[in-house]
Amino acid sequence: MKQHFNLMLLAFLLSGYFCSGQTVVEDFKPSSLNQPGQEYPQVNSQGYARFQIKAPEAKSVVVSLGLGGAKGGTELSKAENGFWMGTTAGPMDEGFHYYHVTIDGGVFNDPSALNFYGSTRWESGIEIPAQDQDFYALKDVPHGSVQQILFPSKSTNTSRRAYVYTPPSYHKDKSKNYPVLYLQHGWGEDETAWSNQGRVNLIMDNMIAEGKIKPFIVVMTYGMTNEIKYGGLASFKIEPFQTVLVEELIPYVDANFRTNAKQTHRAMAGLSMGGMETKTITINKPEVFSHYALLSGGTYKPEDIKDKSKVKLVFLSCGSKERPDGVKNAVTGLKEAGFNAVSYVSEGTGHEFQTWRRSFKELAPLLFKD
Amino acid sequence: MKQHFNLMLLAFLLSGYFCSGQTVVEDFKPSSLNQPGQEYPQVNSQGYARFQIKAPEAKSVVVSLGLGGAKGGTELSKAENGFWMGTTAGPMDEGFHYYHVTIDGGVFNDPSALNFYGSTRWESGIEIPAQDQDFYALKDVPHGSVQQILFPSKSTNTSRRAYVYTPPSYHKDKSKNYPVLYLQHGWGEDETAWSNQGRVNLIMDNMIAEGKIKPFIVVMTYGMTNEIKYGGLASFKIEPFQTVLVEELIPYVDANFRTNAKQTHRAMAGLSMGGMETKTITINKPEVFSHYALLSGGTYKPEDIKDKSKVKLVFLSCGSKERPDGVKNAVTGLKEAGFNAVSYVSEGTGHEFQTWRRSFKELAPLLFKD
């Protein structure tokens, strides 16, 4: 009898662990990343997501997002009128998530959602409203521009694409020169990620409007050169991209934009794989960059950096659901060795864009302070 | 017997009419608009398109493009390994086409193709190589930039998006001012269409490199203001968009870019619905624009235009599969009335982007000649 009671208690505790028991509040609204005029997917104030997909003759429709459910996602159920519907089994982390829909065993995007380049393909995106979403909101403030440039690359024998954010003042005060941050995406993403998913242009606009940062230029380019074979991180070599960045893109930007073309006014940052690239290239090229930032992208040891006098800032961050101790301990070590090092941990987020939006917001005021 | 023979002859002639009897050449290559690393869809040298979609458990997979086939498209057949495959029953028109895939009655995009905004949604795109594709190819020439701006719009109480093409020389010679073309998309499209589908930035780069045109700025914005309700062309009123364009966007561009801000150096052009907008706004605002162009977007009569002295160019175009006589006759009438009017007909194309790419190429050298 006692054993039976214990088993029941265990079952009860487990059910509480796996299922929050939370009542789902019926205040669902269309996700801000839906295609124009589309009512679904929807999100509620608790962070649940609800999907609706039309496929009258399908046998099975599964969304790749969600807690519980089959295959780690949310299995939709057939409703009236040929629509399949379903709600995540629990609230999602705040911020941006990629997802896709498996229809009868084939992988497609949700036709109602906008697409974002991640996992080496354009995937559906959904935005779970965050407590702090104001800092990346589109507001009635002066806006900078994001421009696509095609720069010549002899080393890869093509024109390569980059996006350049110039601050609102850039077109007005034509005598001023600006420092530049080179900002890299993660594996499977491309040069569109930081503005589309990261909303970095809006974060810049808002922080400049509030006087929290000095305006600077942000340059985002594709961080791989093996465009045919995707996914080969194991065989990834930094040299080809380092050549594109340091010998081709930076001279092009300095020739075509009003930059302050000194090492002291040039920074490099990256998320995930882009952090790995940032670490390697800043160590290889201390004469090029003075401010280094790794966002969920590893750490530096003091001995990684040969000439401390050339480094003005080392910034390390990640989400609290990643390995925050690694970041904090590395910064402690760097500070003890005399570096200007700063750590940041995003509360309640993992290896996703909400961590990197927040990290960028913490990083920006620390750049180019003098 | 004679009747029987005639019936056989008729059947033979009809089979020749509906089915070209052409042997499909097996030189298929991936479409240039595929997502990175994707082998399908493919196109061959004759203009046939071949599709491959993975959906192991599906009952039916139909691509919306093609000649013949069910529902006006191409029905795919189930092949090995869960893939569905099929080839169009005949060659497609040269150039860009939108398409989608119907899986078990639901409408999705081809996960292997890039998406383009048309029909009020992001749809799959495919490119059928054209004889004249060189003029919109990415080449090793100096490239201008396409920048996204967010301009304040009091009349619609938001920040609105536009794309601004600046020529390669823009960032170099900082003393020069440029004339401006305002260029509008068609119904169901948006401000991304002219650069993504139309490749207008590459056409400009190539023509500038060849010395065929004087550099100018191109501005593309969203031509509707009813962002919630899509598709309501019947109830479309020009005034809200005219206010955005003339009272908000043009002053913003003139304040933030090095423009020649005179009527003589400002043009408006549009395709399809954008042509309708161009016609109405140029007639309403003769003091704002001096060069008018309607691409598959209607015609002007001489009496539409009150003050002939203010109009430097009227350009009318369409595809040969549209109504070329309407365009030609209208230009004859305009010429007789003393206008500098030019017509252009794109051979072998219909109401699609290849017509508009070619039209733009013909239009560009005629703009801002003095």
Side-chain angles (χ1 to χ4, degrees), chain B residues 191-208:
Chain B
E191 64 274 25
T192 62
W194 265 109
S195 44
N196 286 355
Q197 290 94 302
R199 301 172 74 93
V200 74
N201 52 320
L202 299 180
I203 300 174
M204 289 290 295
D205 291 345
N206 291 339
M207 295 187 83
I208 291 169

Side-chain angles (χ1 to χ4, degrees), chain A residues 57 104 115 145-148, chain B residues 57 104 115 145-148:
Chain A
E57 306 297 323
D104 288 347
N115 300 320
S145 79
V146 178
Q147 62 187 286
Q148 174 194 292
Chain B
E57 306 296 324
D104 288 348
N115 299 320
S145 79
V146 177
Q147 62 189 286
Q148 174 195 292

Side-chain angles (χ1 to χ4, degrees), chain B residues 62-104:
Chain B
V62 182
V63 172
S64 64
L65 269 188
L67 303 172
K71 298 169 197 169
T74 300
E75 266 192 88
L76 306 193
S77 305
K78 202 165 181 175
E80 299 298 313
N81 307 324
F83 285 98
W84 293 70
M85 289 196 68
T87 305
T88 54
M92 314 283 303
D93 285 352
E94 296 187 333
F96 174 86
H97 305 285
Y98 298 105
Y99 73 101
H100 55 259
V101 186
T102 303
I103 317 272
D104 288 348

